[in-house]
Amino acid sequence: MNKKIMTLALAAMCCVGAQAQEKLFNSASVQSPVVNKDGTVTFNLFAPKAVKVEVTGDFLPTQQIDIPGYGKYDAPGVAELKEGKNGVWSFTTDKLAPEMYSYTFNIDGMTGVKDPANIYVNRDIVSFTNIFIVSDQKGDKGDLYKVNEVPHGNLSKVWYNSPTLIMQRRMTIYTPAGYDKGGKYPVLYLLHGAGGDENAWSELGRAAQILDNLIATGKAKPMIVVMPNGNPNCQAAPGEWSWGMYTPGFRDGGTGPTAPAAASIPESFMDIVNYVDANYRTLKDRSHRAICGLSMGGGHTFHVSLLYPNKFDYFGLFSAGLHLENGTYEASFAKQIENSKTFAQQSAKLFGSKPKLYWMGMGKTDFLYQSTVDLRNYWDSKGYKYEYVETDGGHIWRNWRIYLTMFAQKIFK
Amino acid sequence: MNKKIMTLALAAMCCVGAQAQEKLFNSASVQSPVVNKDGTVTFNLFAPKAVKVEVTGDFLPTQQIDIPGYGKYDAPGVAELKEGKNGVWSFTTDKLAPEMYSYTFNIDGMTGVKDPANIYVNRDIVSFTNIFIVSDQKGDKGDLYKVNEVPHGNLSKVWYNSPTLIMQRRMTIYTPAGYDKGGKYPVLYLLHGAGGDENAWSELGRAAQILDNLIATGKAKPMIVVMPNGNPNCQAAPGEWSWGMYTPGFRDGGTGPTAPAAASIPESFMDIVNYVDANYRTLKDRSHRAICGLSMGGGHTFHVSLLYPNKFDYFGLFSAGLHLENGTYEASFAKQIENSKTFAQQSAKLFGSKPKLYWMGMGKTDFLYQSTVDLRNYWDSKGYKYEYVETDGGHIWRNWRIYLTMFAQKIFK
């Protein structure tokens, strides 16, 4: 059979679904966002009868807002679009630094309107935003977060049994390019924050792209990355659980409508390690295990480091939520440290075992800033060794991608 | 360390991103869509200054439109929402049959507006729609498409080398629940349509849910399902390729801006089979291999069946796009069949080898209906055995999910 016979007339075999048709056959062809050659970005929105159109996103100067009981927050800035020809509204940013950015539109009092011209979105807990990446082709952040012409690792959504939580649970596992060729690999356990789920790091965190790009350039060692679900009473991300397609509120966000969990994530953590060691070609000793996490996941990492001081050699706390003894955010973490004998004993064991790296990253305006100060003060008073990095900005994904990029280059070396 | 110490104050460690905040702390709390107890569904949209709001989706009666050069299409119906209190617009459907449905809003001339209250979406080629599922708890379609309390298979995004296409390419692989316990499994190759990609069947097609649910109830055998990318000059789905986050047009939809491919998908198909056989615990004989696809993927299946008559025992053509010898849609497929000696020879070989199942499904109003009539007429004239199922509706995902459900229950038995 010759090649001619095999030729399939692509154009004649469209399999467009209902909504896609309009776009295909009656396209207004508005392009948005457009990353311009000078590094600015233009948003275009067809809204012929709108009175006021705004774009809100993390590329605009933030405004700090105070949330009672929570502290200060970096709220996204807002900019007005202007109406041009044919009902298309536009706004062009200043030159943007390399980064992955997110945005939505506000139209006449409706908020959170997605850009119909942009098919790239991220879900952050209970809301969707459009995303785009600005890169400078010089290996800066935008380039690290992009898919480049490099060997790619695989991403799997894996169901495993947790005997401690008495539950089938879902996690995301990254295996590096070349894993299918054989060999054994170290493992990084990468934990999300409250309200997040096992999809957070691979979507908002660009973990697969960051690892692909760092490994391809020799800046990080090839490693397996395990991203479990950190909500102990929840099997999986919204929509992947058996509770239906409801939109969770934040406070049950990702945790769903179930009874209290059988145990905490740190207490059940070795279920995950055991499953991964049994089902992947891992290097099973302490020196080939790292764990890190953001916010609540930083808290999980902190407690795992105290619970299992000999199981991991690398710890990373990103904007960590640190608590002991039923502490609430309002309570002084320094006071909790002072009162907890168990904490003192476990910290001594942990640092006595000489972990290769205890790393902490924190944003200068993060509402959790003080608890990391308290922890550092205590560890300094004991002479315990750790590394600390402070960045601009608050409790935001932009910082957590930076921290992962830094941490991944420091482990298994 | 006791349980108390491990307790983490979830509420205090929120890791909300920029856009999520508004939703969390200033929520209008509009619920949409609401599946009511009587089986109707209510859409609610906060649009305080809108003049006209419509919902369009595949749960409304379709209207056939004629697209020159393509034939008749089932366009989604449109219904108007009415303004109620506090700027919230609403519409309630009739009682809906169990199904997964999709929709978007039209607001004052803007089309394709997503529902800000619904975090569940599907991408269909170049557009996003919100989705929801209606189920009757009696094992009907909606129940098959839902995530139920059953053992779940794993979904992986796998990069493999295609020597024939001279390219690293991405595919989605489903391994059934229990695969991690050992054993060897049959393989179903499941192909998407033009403009689609390796994500289409697991997202729009609910393939993992259908297989999980059929396997859990003993209606289908545990099997591996391989969903490759069917665009021969394209590595991966939009956003997973290295061409940046641009929104592809339909006619380069999913295929990107590259040069012509080194070979067709059917010609390169054994690259996929060889990779899967080398990297998964498969049963490697003909009787444990099935292949099926929708539209262009049905055409690929058809050509694979002619090219490799002895490699697969089960073939499924779903609303297949059938062409030979550079045929265009306008050209009579019957005429092409009549003129092609190669086709006659390969068909004779194929049916001479007695495949266990050659299955075809087609919608009554599908614009590709006639070519399957032509093929059936030819095969009837030769006495070749096949199964044929005709359903209501046209060239739509609703039919392809039904065909997968039927086909998956007929194979490997």
Side-chain angles (χ1 to χ4, degrees):
Chain A
M1 188 170 291
N2 66 28
K3 213 163 171 177
K4 247 183 164 176
I5 296 179
M6 299 307 304
T7 303
L8 296 172
L10 243 169
M13 279 174 286
C14 47
C15 60
V16 291
Q19 265 76 11
Q21 289 174 37
E22 185 172 314
K23 186 103 182 207
L24 300 179
F25 299 109
N26 185 26
S27 171
S29 289
V30 171
Q31 300 283 312
S32 180
V34 178
V35 180
N36 303 304
K37 283 185 182 161
D38 61 0
T40 65
V41 174
T42 302
F43 301 91
N44 298 305
L45 179 76
F46 178 68
K49 293 180 187 166
V51 175
K52 187 176 183 183
V53 179
E54 298 170 324
V55 61
T56 175
D58 53 7
F59 51 88
L60 292 161
T62 56
Q63 45 197 81
Q64 280 224 326
I65 54 169
D66 194 42
I67 298 160
Y70 285 81
K72 292 208 183 298
Y73 248 97
D74 287 341
V78 174
E80 271 198 51
L81 280 74
K82 286 197 177 159
E83 191 169 11
K85 286 180 188 169
N86 304 321
V88 176
W89 295 67
S90 299
F91 170 76
T92 298
T93 67
D94 294 336
K95 185 168 161 39
L96 296 181
E99 181 56 76
M100 181 169 85
Y101 296 101
S102 64
Y103 69 101
T104 56
F105 294 119
N106 301 328
I107 307 174
D108 294 342
M110 289 184 291
T111 58
V113 180
K114 263 60 76 190
D115 187 343
N118 184 353
I119 59 168
Y120 301 104
V121 294
N122 265 340
R123 180 177 58 79
D124 189 3
I125 311 176
V126 291
S127 64
F128 261 94
T129 56
N130 285 108
I131 56 170
F132 64 97
I133 290 177
V134 174
S135 66
D136 63 3
Q137 316 289 341
K138 291 173 190 164
D140 206 330
K141 280 189 287 175
D143 296 318
L144 272 177
Y145 306 160
K146 266 174 53 194
V147 176
N148 292 308
E149 237 345 294
V150 299
H152 301 303
N154 295 341
L155 265 187
S156 299
K157 304 295 176 180
V158 175
W159 286 89
Y160 70 102
N161 182 44
S162 173
T164 310
L165 292 170
I166 319 166
M167 213 192 271
Q168 298 292 317
R169 294 171 59 78
R170 191 171 177 263
M171 58 183 160
T172 301
I173 296 188
Y174 168 90
T175 49
Y179 180 82
D180 55 1
K181 304 283 190 296
K184 292 189 176 183
Y185 293 82
V187 185
L188 167 62
Y189 294 86
L190 180 58
L191 314 184
H192 64 76
D197 53 61
E198 73 275 16
N199 295 345
W201 266 111
S202 58
E203 294 174 9
L204 296 146
R206 304 294 284 178
Q209 289 74 33
I210 291 171
L211 268 294
D212 276 0
N213 291 322
L214 289 178
I215 292 169
T217 51
K219 291 178 182 162
K221 293 280 181 191
M223 64 183 87
I224 297 168
V225 183
V226 175
M227 296 161 265
N229 187 303
N231 307 299
N233 61 342
C234 175
Q235 291 191 307
E240 304 292 341
W241 57 32
S242 54
W243 301 323
M245 283 187 175
Y246 80 96
T247 295
F250 173 66
R251 292 195 174 71
D252 71 340
T255 67
T258 59
S264 72
I265 288 293
E267 286 170 311
S268 62
F269 205 81
M270 293 312 288
D271 288 355
I272 297 169
V273 176
N274 292 336
Y275 181 90
V276 171
D277 278 346
N279 287 277
Y280 289 79
R281 296 194 313 276
T282 60
L283 293 160
K284 297 180 179 35
D285 59 315
R286 181 190 189 192
S287 66
H288 294 95
R289 270 194 212 125
I291 182 168
C292 65
L294 74 90
S295 193
M296 177 182 80
H300 288 164
T301 301
F302 170 65
H303 282 281
V304 163
S305 76
L306 298 173
L307 269 178
Y308 317 108
N310 290 306
K311 294 288 186 186
F312 303 82
D313 235 342
Y314 305 90
F315 301 94
L317 276 56
F318 306 170
S319 313
L322 299 171
H323 293 268
L324 293 166
E325 312 249 26
N326 288 332
T328 65
Y329 175 63
E330 287 79 11
S332 156
F333 186 54
K335 203 81 189 163
Q336 295 176 48
I337 289 173
E338 191 183 310
N339 291 337
S340 172
K341 281 183 189 167
T342 324
F343 170 69
Q345 286 164 0
Q346 292 301 112
S347 298
K349 264 193 207 167
L350 168 65
F351 286 97
S353 76
K354 295 193 179 157
K356 285 192 184 141
L357 178 66
Y358 211 99
W359 191 96
M360 294 189 281
M362 181 56 82
K364 284 173 189 162
T365 57
D366 195 310
F367 74 106
L368 295 174
Y369 186 86
Q370 185 57 40
S371 57
T372 288
V373 172
D374 296 343
L375 184 62
R376 289 168 54 217
N377 284 343
Y378 176 77
W379 283 352
D380 287 344
S381 77
K382 298 287 181 184
Y384 298 155
K385 291 273 177 293
Y386 61 90
E387 290 186 22
Y388 177 66
V389 167
E390 204 165 278
T391 55
D392 286 333
H395 209 66
I396 51 176
W397 271 103
R398 193 185 300 195
N399 274 336
W400 304 324
R401 289 188 291 263
I402 292 172
Y403 301 157
L404 173 60
T405 302
M406 299 174 88
F407 187 72
Q409 296 183 63
K410 288 178 164 285
I411 57 180
F412 311 134
K413 287 186 171 176
Chain B
M1 189 169 289
N2 67 28
K3 212 163 172 178
K4 247 181 164 178
I5 296 178
M6 299 306 303
T7 303
L8 296 171
L10 243 167
M13 279 172 284
C14 48
C15 61
V16 292
Q19 266 77 10
Q21 289 174 40
E22 185 173 313
K23 185 102 183 209
L24 299 180
F25 299 110
N26 185 26
S27 170
S29 288
V30 172
Q31 299 283 312
S32 179
V34 179
V35 180
N36 303 306
K37 283 186 182 158
D38 62 1
T40 64
V41 174
T42 301
F43 300 91
N44 297 305
L45 178 76
F46 178 69
K49 292 179 187 167
V51 174
K52 188 176 182 182
V53 179
E54 297 170 326
V55 61
T56 177
D58 54 8
F59 52 87
L60 292 162
T62 57
Q63 45 198 82
Q64 281 224 326
I65 53 168
D66 195 42
I67 299 159
Y70 286 81
K72 292 209 182 300
Y73 248 98
D74 288 341
V78 174
E80 272 198 50
L81 281 74
K82 286 198 176 156
E83 191 170 12
K85 286 181 188 166
N86 303 321
V88 176
W89 296 66
S90 298
F91 170 75
T92 298
T93 67
D94 293 337
K95 185 169 162 36
L96 295 181
E99 181 58 76
M100 182 171 82
Y101 296 100
S102 64
Y103 69 101
T104 55
F105 293 118
N106 301 327
I107 306 175
D108 294 342
M110 289 184 290
T111 59
V113 180
K114 262 61 76 191
D115 187 343
N118 183 353
I119 59 168
Y120 300 104
V121 294
N122 265 339
R123 181 178 57 81
D124 190 3
I125 312 176
V126 290
S127 63
F128 261 94
T129 57
N130 285 109
I131 57 170
F132 64 97
I133 290 177
V134 175
S135 66
D136 63 3
Q137 316 288 344
K138 293 173 189 163
D140 206 330
K141 281 189 288 177
D143 296 317
L144 272 176
Y145 306 158
K146 265 174 53 194
V147 176
N148 291 308
E149 230 353 288
V150 299
H152 301 302
N154 295 341
L155 266 187
S156 299
K157 305 294 177 181
V158 175
W159 286 88
Y160 70 102
N161 182 44
S162 173
T164 311
L165 291 171
I166 318 165
M167 211 191 273
Q168 297 292 317
R169 294 171 60 76
R170 190 171 178 262
M171 58 184 161
T172 301
I173 296 188
Y174 168 90
T175 49
Y179 180 83
D180 55 1
K181 304 284 191 298
K184 293 189 175 183
Y185 292 84
V187 185
L188 168 62
Y189 294 86
L190 180 59
L191 314 183
H192 65 76
D197 54 60
E198 73 274 16
N199 294 345
W201 266 111
S202 57
E203 294 176 8
L204 296 147
R206 303 295 284 180
Q209 288 74 33
I210 291 171
L211 268 293
D212 276 0
N213 291 322
L214 289 178
I215 291 169
T217 52
K219 291 176 180 163
K221 294 278 183 194
M223 64 183 86
I224 297 167
V225 183
V226 175
M227 296 161 265
N229 187 303
N231 307 297
N233 60 344
C234 175
Q235 291 192 307
E240 303 293 342
W241 57 32
S242 54
W243 301 323
M245 283 187 174
Y246 80 97
T247 295
F250 173 66
R251 291 197 173 69
D252 72 339
T255 67
T258 59
S264 72
I265 289 293
E267 287 170 311
S268 62
F269 205 82
M270 294 311 289
D271 288 355
I272 297 170
V273 176
N274 292 338
Y275 181 89
V276 171
D277 278 346
N279 288 277
Y280 289 80
R281 297 192 313 275
T282 61
L283 293 159
K284 297 181 177 36
D285 59 315
R286 182 191 188 190
S287 66
H288 295 96
R289 269 194 214 126
I291 182 168
C292 64
L294 73 92
S295 193
M296 178 183 80
H300 288 163
T301 301
F302 170 66
H303 283 281
V304 164
S305 77
L306 299 173
L307 269 177
Y308 317 107
N310 292 306
K311 294 287 187 189
F312 303 82
D313 235 342
Y314 304 89
F315 302 93
L317 277 55
F318 305 170
S319 314
L322 300 172
H323 293 267
L324 292 166
E325 312 250 26
N326 288 333
T328 64
Y329 175 61
E330 288 78 12
S332 157
F333 186 54
K335 204 80 190 163
Q336 295 177 49
I337 288 174
E338 192 184 309
N339 291 337
S340 171
K341 282 181 189 168
T342 323
F343 171 69
Q345 286 165 2
Q346 292 300 112
S347 298
K349 263 193 207 167
L350 168 65
F351 286 97
S353 76
K354 296 194 177 155
K356 286 193 183 141
L357 179 65
Y358 210 100
W359 192 95
M360 294 190 281
M362 182 56 82
K364 283 174 188 160
T365 57
D366 195 308
F367 74 106
L368 295 172
Y369 185 86
Q370 186 56 41
S371 57
T372 287
V373 171
D374 295 344
L375 184 63
R376 289 170 53 217
N377 285 341
Y378 176 76
W379 283 352
D380 288 342
S381 77
K382 297 287 183 185
Y384 298 154
K385 292 275 178 293
Y386 62 88
E387 290 186 23
Y388 177 67
V389 167
E390 205 166 277
T391 54
D392 286 332
H395 208 66
I396 51 176
W397 271 103
R398 193 186 299 195
N399 275 336
W400 304 324
R401 289 188 291 263
I402 292 171
Y403 301 157
L404 172 61
T405 302
M406 299 174 88
F407 187 72
Q409 296 182 63
K410 287 177 165 286
I411 58 180
F412 311 133
K413 288 186 169 174

